[in-house]
Amino acid sequence: MPVVKHNASQPAKARHQVFSLLLDNRPLVDSILGRPGRKSTVSPEKLLDQTARLADIQRQLRAADAADILESLPLDKRLAFWRLIDNDKRGKILVEISPVIRHRLIADMNPGDILKAVRPLEVDEQACLAHYLPRDIVSRMLTALEPRQRAQARAMMNAERDSVGRYMDVELATVRPDVTLAVVQRYLRRRRTLPKNSDKLFVVDRKNQLVGELALTAILLNPPDKQVAEVMEANPAAFLPDDAAGDAAGAFERYDLVTAPVVDIKGKLVGRLGIEHMVDVIIAENDETQRRLGGIGPAADIYAPIRNTLRARWGWLAINLAAAFITSRVIGLFEGTLSVLVSLAALMPIVAGIGGAGGNQAMTMIVRGLALRQLAKGSVVFLLLRELGAAVINGLLWGGIMGLVTWFLYRNAGLGGVIMLAMLFNFILAALMGVMIPLAMARLGRNPAARSSVMIAAITDTGGYFIFLGLATVFLAHQA
Amino acid sequence: MPVVKHNASQPAKARHQVFSLLLDNRPLVDSILGRPGRKSTVSPEKLLDQTARLADIQRQLRAADAADILESLPLDKRLAFWRLIDNDKRGKILVEISPVIRHRLIADMNPGDILKAVRPLEVDEQACLAHYLPRDIVSRMLTALEPRQRAQARAMMNAERDSVGRYMDVELATVRPDVTLAVVQRYLRRRRTLPKNSDKLFVVDRKNQLVGELALTAILLNPPDKQVAEVMEANPAAFLPDDAAGDAAGAFERYDLVTAPVVDIKGKLVGRLGIEHMVDVIIAENDETQRRLGGIGPAADIYAPIRNTLRARWGWLAINLAAAFITSRVIGLFEGTLSVLVSLAALMPIVAGIGGAGGNQAMTMIVRGLALRQLAKGSVVFLLLRELGAAVINGLLWGGIMGLVTWFLYRNAGLGGVIMLAMLFNFILAALMGVMIPLAMARLGRNPAARSSVMIAAITDTGGYFIFLGLATVFLAHQA
């Protein structure tokens, strides 16, 4: 018996092969893409052989691995590899691949190929792709479905973004509560298939009302003459199509669910949520937070051409430039003071910078608390007081250190006192903003991580310069 | 038949009840914690009644929900509620709750209670808690296990942090390849239980070598006279105990796995990974990245007292202060230039700030690419060139705008030209650092998000001031 191989090694090998064939191999890429070849020393036979090897590799890849490799390839190599992938595999790959890239791959296909690629997919997968397809193809895709499936696909396409309705499967296996497990087993053997990752059947009455769930393990572990109603879970965790997908993912994590029923407000079974989609939701939510904190827009394919890169980033740069400009004008107010005591110019970024770091820490605490749903309403006062306390201690400590260093460096006790006071005040300002801004964002229904960081940075910067230069003007300007 | 309720509403109701009983109710908290009551107007009967209501609520809570509520409660209320929770439920709650809080709750229990709480847990759960328990309790806990289980627990406790060995379950259900499905069914009915979230049995030979997996659906959908070997998946995705848990989680996501076997290097079955632990890994990894980007340490309970808060944050503040100090010294080099042209002081934060924003964007792109495993080795040159291209365009664009604004504000074309050039150069520096620093961190095996952001900020700050003031010294100092 062969030693079982670690599963990560097979796709890694294929990935390596694809890369070594395509990277630094412009003649091959040109020939696959049918671009007018520049003078090339490579023989056509060799190109054909390499093309055949690539086609061989893709045939042995699972859709998810093919999607991974496509995502890792730079633009023209990605397109070249895509052209070689069999059409019946392309549908699954389009479902798996990230949305930005999905657009570009679909744009490379002709309508006939698209239809052939999507038709073998399940209804929920077709509905998921529909938003990325040309309108006339969507209507031809829908026409090909049975009326019941068409209605389901339409409902899913119209479901709110980030709602449970978008992520649910509609292929369901149901049983009645009043039959025996032996009957259920006969039914399953006739049925021959179950939806992917099924760990349970749904128990419904004649009106399709959900009355319970029957775990596959319950069928296997109990005597066949038991009734479904005796061994089912009669109080299952169920979701509504309008529930937020993020909340549902949280419930899956808390209760260690694998699948869960989706019911309408009357309790009728309409779909099924699977952990595989909930994992995607968790990953996508985290990715969005990280992306927004870094200031890049949603069209952020790592191999995007410069044009898209610039488009995904200009908004953030504009906001930052505007904030920096305001800061600059605040400093400009104090040119008089600066001209008499030029050392202030060297010291002022310290006050601004440390305030930014402190504000960011307070903000991260609150954003995490919100994300992990640990923030109780009555505790805002506690958090604010705790952050203010920490700010005072940090201000006295770090401000004190910098005050002493400044005194020593510039032989000027007043300057040391001013920088200490300014750091203390800016820490307090940063703590206030770090707590209040993300809470306000959350109250307004915005992603609290999104715009909070730039607002806090802007306020602690401007505030830091204003406080420091203001104090210096009051206490030190006469020293000139 | 009652309408099925959305599952999120039940814990939300309990949560609300606990909060309204405990918050702003110091007499109750004092009485539960047995603290010397200050003069209170509340009658003892009322306190007893409220205590009984809390005890009632906890009895109806699932462990995961109780853990959630405990995490959301400020310190003394958390302890008060913990004291009311039945001991046989506490073990599960300790497993579910976040590590920082786990420490404090365990510290509140006496050895006998801890042992009673952990004994009903499964071996892998006991091993997971062992790192948080006093040493003598761990040895008493291990003594109570059977020899085989004790060895398993020891192996798990010694497994590398963030390795598959830490997260695997050791309760396994196995079958032989040469029996029929009917035999498997009889075996399961005698067995009466299966590990949680089981979607498959593992098929092993006499030497416990893994030879395949038998999905529960395969048992149910195929005729009972088929042999296991005929319907099993003979080439399952398997993991090694030393594999990184994050890589395993990635494979679970890619292949939509629910459970997977863990084998030793000889192919012997040693454990089982479940999606519920992999979801925890994904959430914990993302949380760590976010925490590190915000500069707070691991002991970051949102309700931590000031002492812990300060401890979790001082390192980051020290690094930031050191960076700011270096920046300040760089500016100090140019005091001569600043004293002749004081408007430079107002303009210089613009150059530094926009460079920081640009560097952060480039870094976020790379960090995401690394996290999503989209970064191919041969593509670093492409990414670097793309980022440099974007930096040149952004530098000319935003630098041009600021140059014109400066010219207009200060009626000084030279100053406008200098700020434009400085912004261009700082954008280029930021792009270089934004690509190279996270890649270098990843190559060194560090979390690329962790220290990259502060390093990039330090370099773009210092670089921005140096470039701007340096150019001004060369081109403008004669204007005085």
Side-chain angles (χ1 to χ4, degrees), chain A residues 19 65 189 196 222 255-256 287 295 302-304 313 328-329 346 361 368 375-376 379 386-387 410, chain B residues 19 65 189 196 222 255-256 286-287 295 302-304 313 328-329 346 361 368 375-376 379 386-387 410:
Chain A
F19 273 67
D65 292 323
R189 285 210 188 93
K196 195 172 176 188
N222 288 294
Y255 306 130
D256 295 343
D287 181 52
I302 188 165
Y303 294 111
R313 300 188 188 177
S328 159
R329 290 302 84 210
Q361 288 182 326
R368 280 182 79 221
L375 222 77
S379 54
R386 205 254 330 262
E387 289 302 325
Y410 291 90
Chain B
F19 273 67
D65 292 323
R189 287 210 187 92
K196 195 173 176 187
N222 287 294
Y255 305 130
D256 295 343
N286 279 308
D287 181 51
I302 187 166
Y303 294 111
R313 300 189 190 176
S328 159
R329 290 302 84 210
Q361 288 181 327
R368 280 183 78 221
L375 223 76
S379 54
R386 207 255 327 263
E387 290 301 326
Y410 293 90

Side-chain angles (χ1 to χ4, degrees), chain A residues 331-403:
Chain A
I331 300 172
L333 297 176
F334 297 96
E335 285 197 357
T337 308
L338 279 163
S339 65
V340 288
L341 201 61
V342 78
S343 44
L344 294 175
L347 292 168
M348 62 190 191
I350 296 179
V351 180
I354 199 83
N360 218 21
Q361 288 182 326
M363 179 199 84
T364 302
M365 199 71 151
I366 301 290
V367 168
R368 280 182 79 221
L370 287 167
L372 303 172
R373 285 156 236 263
Q374 291 179 356
L375 222 77
K377 271 204 182 116
S379 54
V380 173
V381 175
F382 165 82
L383 290 172
L384 204 53
L385 289 177
R386 205 254 330 262
E387 289 302 325
L388 286 177
V392 169
I393 296 173
N394 274 327
L396 291 173
L397 175 70
W398 303 108
I401 293 174
M402 269 318 297

Side-chain angles (χ1 to χ4, degrees), chain A residues 213-464:
Chain A
E213 330 176 302
L214 180 66
L216 299 188
T217 51
I219 306 175
L220 289 167
L221 298 174
N222 288 294
D225 56 339
K226 286 256 184 190
Q227 279 217 332
V228 168
E230 293 176 82
V231 297
M232 72 182 187
E233 160 68 54
N235 209 348
F239 298 88
L240 298 168
D242 289 340
D243 287 342
D247 291 343
F252 267 71
E253 188 261 320
R254 267 203 308 287
Y255 306 130
D256 295 343
L257 301 175
V258 173
T259 62
V262 180
V263 296
D264 66 15
I265 40 168
K266 289 180 188 148
K268 283 210 163 77
L269 182 70
V270 295
R272 176 184 94 111
L273 274 185
I275 180 73
E276 70 275 19
H277 294 314
M278 295 298 101
V279 170
D280 294 341
V281 168
I282 292 172
I283 292 176
E285 282 196 346
N286 279 308
D287 181 52
E288 191 191 333
T289 299
Q290 209 182 323
R291 205 169 41 64
R292 288 195 181 223
L293 277 173
I296 51 183
D301 173 14
I302 188 165
Y303 294 111
I306 274 196
R307 194 160 22 91
N308 299 20
T309 308
L310 292 173
R311 208 183 307 139
R313 300 188 188 177
W314 76 268
W316 183 251
L317 290 176
I319 291 173
N320 273 275
L321 191 63
F325 186 72
I326 294 170
T327 305
S328 159
R329 290 302 84 210
V330 169
I331 300 172
L333 297 176
F334 297 96
E335 285 197 357
T337 308
L338 279 163
S339 65
V340 288
L341 201 61
V342 78
S343 44
L344 294 175
L347 292 168
M348 62 190 191
I350 296 179
V351 180
I354 199 83
N360 218 21
Q361 288 182 326
M363 179 199 84
T364 302
M365 199 71 151
I366 301 290
V367 168
R368 280 182 79 221
L370 287 167
L372 303 172
R373 285 156 236 263
Q374 291 179 356
L375 222 77
K377 271 204 182 116
S379 54
V380 173
V381 175
F382 165 82
L383 290 172
L384 204 53
L385 289 177
R386 205 254 330 262
E387 289 302 325
L388 286 177
V392 169
I393 296 173
N394 274 327
L396 291 173
L397 175 70
W398 303 108
I401 293 174
M402 269 318 297
L404 287 173
V405 171
T406 304
W407 185 2
F408 172 81
L409 271 177
Y410 291 90
R411 313 273 163 204
N412 184 337
L415 193 55
V418 162
I419 199 170
M420 191 193 108
L421 264 187
M423 281 174 74
L424 173 62
F425 289 156
N426 205 25
F427 258 117
I428 293 173
L429 177 70
L432 272 172
M433 294 301 126
V435 174
M436 301 312 292
I437 290 178
L439 287 178
M441 287 286 168
R443 186 75 41 102
L444 293 172
R446 303 293 185 81
N447 181 335
R451 292 283 179 246
S452 297
S453 72
V454 72
M455 286 182 65
I456 290 169
I459 293 176
T460 54
D461 255 28
T462 317

Side-chain angles (χ1 to χ4, degrees), chain B residues 107-123:
Chain B
D108 188 57
M109 297 168 75
N110 64 48
D113 281 350
I114 298 180
L115 278 174
K116 263 184 248 155
V118 298
R119 278 211 180 115
L121 296 176
E122 302 197 352
V123 176

